[in-house]
Amino acid sequence: MTPTRSFSALLAAAACTTLLAAPALAAEPIKIGVPVGLSGANSVVAPSVVQSAQLAVEEINAKGGVLGRQLALEVADDASGAAGAQKAFDSLVFQKKVDVLISMETSAARNAALPIVARGKVPYIYTSFYEGKSCSPFMYVNAWVPEQQVPPIVDFFNKEKGAKKFFLIGSDYAFGRGMLAFTKAYIEKTGGKVVGEEYLPMDGSDWTSIISKLKSAAPDALITSTAGGAPNVTLTKQLRAAGVALPYGNLAVDEGTAKGMGTDAEGIYLSASYVTGIDSAANKSFLAAMQKKFGAELKTPNDLSVPEYEAVYAYKAAAEKAGSTEEAKVLKALGEVSVEGPRGKIEMSKQHHAPLTMYLGQVQADGSVKVIKSFPNVDPGAQCPNLKP
């Protein structure tokens, strides 16, 4: 399916979401803006994000909505980059006049969008793992940052694989460089050495020269941080074709993308706040509801889509605590409410970020993730110390 057709289909599905669950109420619906990369680097994972939002909205509307009003989704393609994000956010905030923005995006898109969010004073729940320390009084984050995600992989490679020399590969933008800057510092802090660090533009797809440098450096382990989606696929495929068999930690792969890679993803180590194998009643209920709603069209729920589902519920909780959809009241409440979702209890109370249970896992032959170890309630660290509570 082409990106254009995919985008149209998702928009149509999103528009229908509020019509299926409950009779329309007289009050105007509460509009949730979902700017997301339905084209570009994030197009591999974006459909799963939209599906998660659709399910959350349907469930909430079936139980009466929020403050007596139904929820409605407004989905916009941000093309996974800065220019597209400026158009998408501007349209959602100033033309569609959404009440809240909830979505994962590339860091380039997020950075370009934040000034528009500030002008519109619209609450924004950012649901993507990212490089950390992006701060705005209007933005809350319910996904992981490097302080939560990197140590499990580096420590495992060091202690269990005897790795002392690391090679780093990333996409050349804020996420790729930010994640690997933290990773390099952590490797050196724990007694390791980085013997190579290479980047390719976010839309690049030929990793040949970088893989050649990797082989020449003869590291003990490889850690990568690329733009989520397509760059993960091309890099991993080319690594496998080149016969690279090092312990491989991927800081940007999600379970859905890993499944889409097929056998190329087998053996990759990842650190995530969500895997489908979480053994809890809440996660099993969520997976069953997703399967029932989307059937054969279901995209694998993952560490980029599940935070979207939980964020819709976080907005519901905040609006109900505030007793209003007024932006300033909702913003205050977002840092005070918690949600029990597929990942457990999520509360964005640490400088607009959330403590999270993290899972160190390895991709299996069928694309599933085998959990090696879990790390409960990992603090995000000092992300935005200058933000008021």
Side-chain angles (χ1 to χ4, degrees):
M1 193 156 50
T2 65
T4 301
R5 288 178 181 171
S6 175
F7 179 43
S8 299
L10 285 163
L11 283 176
C16 290
T17 299
T18 57
L19 301 178
L20 299 175
L25 300 180
E28 285 291 313
I30 295 171
K31 295 182 181 180
I32 297 176
V34 181
V36 67
L38 293 168
S39 60
N42 277 348
S43 60
V44 173
V45 73
S48 67
V49 175
V50 175
Q51 285 186 345
S52 286
Q54 290 172 340
L55 177 63
V57 166
E58 182 177 90
E59 289 177 343
I60 291 169
N61 283 346
K63 294 180 179 178
V66 176
L67 301 175
R69 297 165 63 187
Q70 296 280 276
L71 300 178
L73 291 179
E74 294 284 353
V75 180
D77 183 14
D78 68 19
S80 303
Q86 288 173 337
K87 294 178 182 177
F89 275 75
D90 189 79
S91 172
L92 290 170
V93 172
F94 297 111
Q95 296 176 35
K96 300 293 187 179
K97 299 189 182 300
V98 297
D99 296 280
V100 62
L101 294 152
I102 303 175
S103 196
M104 62 79 57
E105 294 151 301
T106 64
S107 291
R110 181 198 68 245
N111 290 339
L114 279 175
I116 298 170
V117 173
R119 286 205 309 274
K121 297 183 169 126
V122 177
Y124 175 26
I125 306 178
Y126 185 57
T127 62
S128 177
F129 51 71
Y130 83 113
E131 69 282 358
K133 294 180 171 57
S134 183
C135 305
S136 164
F138 303 99
M139 183 174 74
Y140 282 81
V141 182
N142 72 347
W144 57 250
V145 291
E147 287 86 341
Q148 294 164 305
Q149 196 245 7
V150 170
I153 289 180
V154 174
D155 291 347
F156 180 79
F157 283 178
N158 189 322
K159 296 172 184 176
E160 302 298 329
K161 301 295 182 180
K164 298 298 180 184
K165 298 187 297 180
F166 293 78
F167 197 94
L168 310 180
I169 299 176
S171 290
D172 193 5
Y173 78 122
F175 176 75
R177 287 192 174 272
M179 288 298 300
L180 293 186
F182 182 91
T183 302
K184 182 178 182 179
Y186 189 79
I187 287 170
E188 293 173 346
K189 177 183 175 182
T190 53
K193 181 180 179 181
V194 173
V195 295
E197 182 178 352
E198 296 291 333
Y199 296 88
L200 198 68
M202 192 165 67
D203 58 353
S205 60
D206 185 356
W207 302 89
T208 306
S209 64
I210 290 177
I211 293 173
S212 178
K213 292 177 182 178
L214 163 68
K215 288 184 169 183
S216 297
D220 301 318
L222 166 67
I223 295 179
T224 67
S225 179
T226 57
N232 267 321
V233 177
T234 58
L235 173 57
T236 304
K237 186 177 183 64
Q238 289 170 43
L239 285 168
R240 298 314 190 202
V244 175
L246 295 166
Y248 174 15
N250 190 316
L251 304 181
V253 72
D254 64 275
E255 192 170 349
T257 302
K259 283 193 174 181
M261 289 182 190
T263 56
D264 288 333
E266 184 178 359
I268 288 177
Y269 290 91
L270 56 82
S271 177
S273 68
Y274 178 79
V275 293
T276 55
I278 292 175
D279 187 14
S280 70
N283 184 46
K284 291 175 181 177
S285 175
F286 165 74
L287 291 173
M290 289 291 287
Q291 183 62 53
K292 180 179 179 181
K293 179 169 175 59
F294 296 104
E297 299 300 315
L298 176 64
K299 307 300 180 182
T300 302
N302 56 74
D303 210 17
L304 287 164
S305 68
V306 172
E308 178 80 11
Y309 174 84
E310 293 168 340
V312 176
Y313 275 94
Y315 176 78
K316 173 182 183 292
E320 290 176 346
K321 179 178 177 62
S324 169
T325 58
E326 185 180 331
E327 290 87 346
K329 293 180 179 178
V330 169
L331 282 165
K332 181 177 184 300
L334 278 170
E336 301 170 349
V337 299
S338 63
V339 171
E340 290 285 348
R343 295 184 295 167
K345 181 180 178 181
I346 307 296
E347 185 176 14
M348 297 177 289
S349 57
K350 298 285 187 177
Q351 300 170 11
H352 288 212
H353 288 68
L356 299 168
T357 293
M358 299 299 295
Y359 299 89
L360 174 66
Q362 186 177 33
V363 180
Q364 304 299 293
D366 64 355
S368 65
V369 176
K370 177 184 177 181
V371 174
I372 297 170
K373 189 176 181 180
S374 61
F375 305 83
N377 202 38
V378 182
D379 195 283
Q383 295 299 320
C384 302
N386 296 322
L387 279 182
K388 295 180 180 180

